[in-house]
Amino acid sequence: MKSKQTQRIGILTAGGDSPGLNAAIRAVGKAAIGTYGYDVLGFKDGFLGLAQNNYTALNKATLGGILTVGGTILGTSRDKPHKMQIDGKVYDMTDEIVANYKKLKLKALVCIGGGGTHKNALRLMKAGLNIITLPKTIDNDVALTDATIGFDTALGIAAEALDRLHSTAHSHHRIIVAEIMGHRAGWLTLGAGIGGGADVVLIPEIPYDIDKAAEAIKRRDRKHANFSIVAVAEGALSKQYAKAFAAATARKKQAKTDEERQMAKAELRQLDAKHSGNTWRLAAELEEKTGLEARVSILGYVQRGGTPSVTDRLLATRLGTECAGLIHQGVFGVMVAARGNSVKPVPIESVAGNLKTIPLEHQWIESARRVGTCLGD
Ligand code: F6P
């Protein structure tokens, strides 16, 4: 009798790392091996490993002991299949990726990532690969899922940082401006700002008026609370900047010729460059407008590092084990999304290119306002 060949899947992690990636790899791997009897390969450093056929076999031993470990045992990168930097040159590696996938006889490829990964996953889907994704990013900005792997851990770290900044701001009667990660979405800043009791919270979704922020700080000062904590997202924009960005983005969308598109893109790049250092400028302006001393604290990569919270481990395990089940059923082209207490496959096509920002009517925004937090508007 002919024995049935063991089925094989691949996993990769791409984009910025986030706590809980290993828990997700473990969940997909353990369920695929233990429940369905598959072989599992882990590609190194995101799509780069897939393009270069650089992988490691995952088994019960290598998947053991990683649930609580931060980062990703597979490594990650921001390499895109169609624009890959190899030895200083950029290559379209889509054909190599398809060839490696076929050569390894993969039944499916699991891509664990955020916004960029979903765009790349869609490209590979269109090139004929069976793709299934899991949402991860500390930014929580992936469309169609309630939560992303890593967000809860980062939220805890950022809120704890704000707690700690309170006592030093209080002792020195200072304004402390804490920069929190998130270029396009303010989930982390607003969540940590509410949980950590920031007095002013500035997020990309609500362009700010510096005078409103300064006034809120002065009001506190008049009430003898002569210190303030300002939580600002990396991507928070002043009203003027937001206007300029919106105009350039509209020009890019409406461009009729390639020249017009290139000009709008160059304009956006210039605005991006001008925006860097915004937190420092904000602190200097607040100092000038309030007469209080201001300091900056950039929370940075600390937010992405270390042990994942139990909530992230649980989320990663729920999504990862469901992912293995869907592969076994032959369901591809989907992201496994968190929906309340349940998990649900949603089309990758509806996720890619769609950012989940905070809706202006979101309850977090209303709650922040009701406890007197200034949102800069
Ligand atoms: O997308 C996650 C994220 O951590 C953002 O919050 C942050 O702006 C960005 O990645 C930093 O990217 P990199 O790791 O490429 O510096």
Side-chain angles (χ1 to χ4, degrees), residues 41-59:
L41 306 182
F43 291 96
K44 297 287 183 73
D45 301 332
F47 293 103
L48 184 68
L50 187 57
Q52 298 187 324
N53 214 22
N54 183 9
Y55 61 85
T56 178
L58 298 175
N59 52 42

Side-chain angles (χ1 to χ4, degrees), residues 250-299:
R251 273 195 284 281
K252 188 179 143 207
K253 266 195 190 153
Q254 288 154 11
K256 290 202 176 69
T257 63
D258 200 42
E259 197 188 343
E260 281 175 10
R261 196 166 307 110
Q262 292 311 327
M263 268 168 62
K265 275 187 170 176
E267 203 183 332
L268 282 169
R269 272 196 302 275
Q270 261 179 15
L271 284 167
D272 264 340
K274 256 187 161 177
H275 183 260
S276 88
N278 185 56
T279 303
W280 294 93
R281 281 193 298 277
L282 176 74
E285 282 180 62
L286 288 177
E287 195 167 72
E288 200 188 299
K289 286 181 187 285
T290 62
L292 285 165
E293 197 177 31
R295 290 285 190 272
V296 170
S297 198
I298 310 269
L299 305 193

Side-chain angles (χ1 to χ4, degrees), residues 143-172:
L144 300 181
T145 182
D146 291 351
T148 54
I149 299 163
F151 174 64
D152 181 74
T153 310
L155 188 61
I157 297 168
E160 193 200 327
L162 295 184
D163 288 353
R164 290 179 183 277
L165 291 172
H166 264 87
S167 62
T168 170
H170 179 254
S171 306
H172 287 268

